Amino acid sequence: MNADLPFFKYHPDPFATGIFRRLNEPVTCPCCGRETAVIYEGPFYSRESVEHLCPHCIASGAAAEKYSGEFQDSESTDEVDGPDKLDELIHRTPGYCGWQQEYWRAHCGDFCAYLGAVGYAELEEMGIADEVRETLSDDWYEEIFTDLTKDGSTVGYLFRCLHCGKYLLHIDCD
């Protein structure tokens, strides 16, 4: 990301994951009222339909506060060591788009960094297919693991532990 944009420890490269998009012409952020050429295009759970949030309003928590919203469903996460970590994830971290319900993985008592959508081929290429296979929580995942595709009907969402570096996977289907 650019130096003038905030860093999100749980979503370190939102441009690579497609959650932030750079515009040719700036728009006005509905939260702060400032012009921005970078907008958020991910999930935001709020009573109001809000578009074109700027990264700064996400990072500061202003968007979540102003619209009583969340960027991640608090019930669709692994458990962590403290409520402050959940608060940062759901109120100050860009989410990601999944097929049915986004789920955020955790390890070492903290949420992991979301790295993006992957298929089995990408996991093999990275040399981590066996490592992430061990992190799957449901038996039926084993049956579909080798069928994962980055842009298909069965997608893997890759995470990495911020503390020990272990890779974890969440699988979702259309």
Side-chain angles (χ1 to χ4, degrees):
M1 272 190 355
N2 293 351
D4 61 330
L5 295 177
F7 176 74
F8 301 94
K9 73 177 182 180
Y10 297 134
H11 199 147
D13 196 350
F15 282 108
T17 63
I19 288 301
F20 282 174
R21 182 168 58 103
R22 190 171 302 280
L23 303 172
N24 291 329
E25 296 292 325
V27 295
T28 301
C29 173
C31 184
C32 65
R34 294 188 203 127
E35 284 195 342
T36 181
V38 176
I39 61 168
Y40 176 66
E41 294 193 321
F44 185 58
Y45 305 101
S46 162
R47 287 183 180 239
E48 295 182 52
S49 178
V50 183
E51 295 181 356
H52 305 132
L53 288 172
C54 75
H56 298 284
C57 287
I58 296 170
S60 70
E65 183 176 342
K66 180 174 183 173
Y67 299 106
S68 298
E70 298 178 344
F71 295 96
Q72 170 66 36
D73 175 15
S74 62
E75 299 298 316
S76 297
T77 67
D78 287 341
E79 290 185 29
V80 294
D81 287 344
D84 56 321
K85 295 172 183 173
L86 182 62
D87 181 60
E88 181 172 351
L89 178 71
I90 66 174
H91 295 127
R92 295 185 304 280
T93 300
Y96 72 94
C97 296
W99 273 117
Q100 294 181 43
Q101 178 60 51
E102 298 80 16
Y103 189 89
W104 213 283
R105 299 298 312 265
H107 196 260
C108 294
D110 197 0
F111 290 112
C112 295
Y114 175 66
L115 303 180
V118 293
Y120 183 74
E122 288 82 14
L123 296 171
E124 280 286 308
E125 186 176 300
M126 294 172 71
I128 60 171
D130 290 336
E131 179 180 342
V132 298
R133 180 179 284 171
E134 295 171 3
T135 71
L136 300 175
S137 58
D138 291 326
D139 291 337
W140 72 271
Y141 285 156
E142 183 63 34
E143 297 173 23
I144 62 171
F145 184 68
T146 57
D147 296 329
L148 292 176
T149 57
K150 184 176 181 176
D151 300 312
S153 294
T154 307
V155 179
Y157 300 98
L158 188 61
F159 295 85
R160 188 165 194 193
C161 180
L162 297 173
H163 304 281
C164 73
K166 184 175 185 67
Y167 288 96
L168 295 95
L169 195 68
H170 171 67
I171 295 176
D172 199 7
C173 306
D174 67 356

